[in-house]
Amino acid sequence: MAWTKYQIFLAVLLVITGTINTLATKWADITPSRGRDGVIREFNHPFLQAVAMFLGELTCLLAYKLLYYYYIKKDYVDDELPEFVKGSRDFNPLIFLPPALCDMTATSLMYIGLNLTYASSFQMLRGAIIIFTGLLSVFFLKRRLKLYEWAGMVVVIVGLAIVGTGDFVFSNASQSGKSTSNIIIGDVIIIVGQVIAASQMVVEEKFVASSNVSPLQAVGWEGLFGAVILSFLLIPMYWIPTGNTIFNNPYGNMEDAIDGFYQIGNQWQVALGLVGTIISISFFNFAGISVTKQMSATTRTVLDSVRTFVIWIFSLAIGWEIPGNRTYIQVAGFIVLLLGMFVYNDVLVRPMLIKIGCLKGDDNKNAALDTNPVASAPVADGTDGNTKRGQDVETNNW
């Protein structure tokens, strides 16, 4: 079935805004600006950037309110409302506090990792969320994983290992301006962030799914909680000494928001990067919700893979990454990761094998490896993730 013009628009919007989100954040990271002490340094403020991301999510709540009252003024009844506005309005917003805390932690960790490693590695390593979401779903939700999902997780692990090996062996540290140790630390931090992001999805499915809240509201409330809580946490972070190994602030503290605002005011590129993060995450959430509603979660998987490829090509084109041995390793890792995501999400690979007769397509397709199925219900996801579980919910994600 051919896509409509609106569906094509949504697909393009998803790829473009998702690409801009990662690139805008990285652009702000590597842009030198004069700080509060008069020293010119790169913008190393991952927690301040995370606040900006949550402000972008918060705009989804504002958009929901505006759209809802617009349609109500037009005398629409609940059943006539668009899918991204339709949903329960009788719920306790505090149900979004636990997933917002997970989102806050995961996003902060991933932005720290992005500051230390390559933008392309950042995007590729986020594929690890598939593994952790699947495992946590089995242990805490008693979800049944199908055979092809287990196979996809194994292939993703291989792809992650290839990407990580490329960063470790061929890091181009002298050309990238980053030490090999920092690049590896950044990769590890990103992987840890995926564990927290996967926890968010499990928490949302367990405690939020039954609330039947509009996806725009769900993302917006998580953005509100994340922005408020993290903004307050910037105060104690100012007094936590960490040195300048990972963070690079004037007085060696964990986060110096004052220095961050100085750098934003002194360099328009940094300010534009943060504005790009806020605007892109807002439209990315809208596009993600709409793609899943209009088409499918598996379509979202394919489009997100296209986004990863665009980020990688753009990084090479503008010189953020230098072509070399690492490039070939990354290509191999990306292909394996893509294959694993397709297998896990039952896109292209398994259907093709069934079509050519290598696999039998029968009722055993849904055979599970455990005996305790759980109901699958849509839940809200404020992250920028790659997993089928996170996209079944959609909702959104980082």
Side-chain angles (χ1 to χ4, degrees), residues 264-283:
I264 293 170
N266 289 333
Q267 182 55 267
W268 66 267
Q269 287 100 324
V270 175
L272 186 59
L274 288 180
V275 171
T277 297
I278 294 172
I279 295 176
S280 62
I281 198 66
S282 177
F283 281 95

Side-chain angles (χ1 to χ4, degrees), residues 57-86:
E57 289 188 0
L58 176 58
T59 61
C60 291
L61 183 59
L62 302 178
Y64 168 82
K65 296 293 185 183
L66 291 174
L67 289 169
Y68 175 73
Y69 287 116
Y70 168 80
Y71 286 111
I72 292 301
K73 276 199 166 186
K74 294 287 186 180
D75 295 326
Y76 279 64
V77 297
D78 285 353
D79 289 343
E80 296 174 329
L81 293 173
E83 289 296 329
F84 49 83
V85 178
K86 187 183 299 182

Side-chain angles (χ1 to χ4, degrees), residues 113-183:
L114 177 59
N115 194 275
L116 296 171
T117 191
Y118 304 95
S120 58
S121 295
F122 166 81
Q123 190 62 38
M124 292 182 191
L125 292 173
R126 295 181 72 170
I129 197 172
I130 285 178
I131 302 166
F132 301 119
T133 304
L135 294 177
L136 290 174
S137 296
V138 169
F139 289 121
F140 294 104
L141 300 179
K142 306 303 180 185
R143 180 189 167 218
R144 303 181 303 169
L145 285 186
K146 303 175 183 65
L147 288 170
Y148 64 79
E149 290 177 310
W150 285 107
M153 288 164 60
V154 171
V155 176
V156 166
I157 290 174
V158 174
L160 293 171
I162 294 173
V163 172
T165 300
D167 283 351
F168 180 74
V169 179
F170 304 108
S171 62
N172 287 328
S174 60
Q175 296 173 316
S176 65
K178 299 180 182 296
S179 68
T180 301
S181 59
N182 274 6
I183 292 172

Side-chain angles (χ1 to χ4, degrees), residues 305-323:
S305 301
V306 172
R307 176 168 69 110
T308 301
F309 179 73
V310 172
I311 290 171
W312 175 65
I313 293 297
F314 188 86
S315 298
L316 286 172
I318 64 174
W320 285 2
E321 300 183 25
I322 309 300

Side-chain angles (χ1 to χ4, degrees), residues 236-245 247 249 251-255:
M237 287 179 185
Y238 180 82
W239 302 101
I240 299 176
T242 56
N244 288 320
T245 303
F247 307 103
N249 294 309
Y251 306 108
N253 40 19
M254 188 173 185
E255 178 61 281

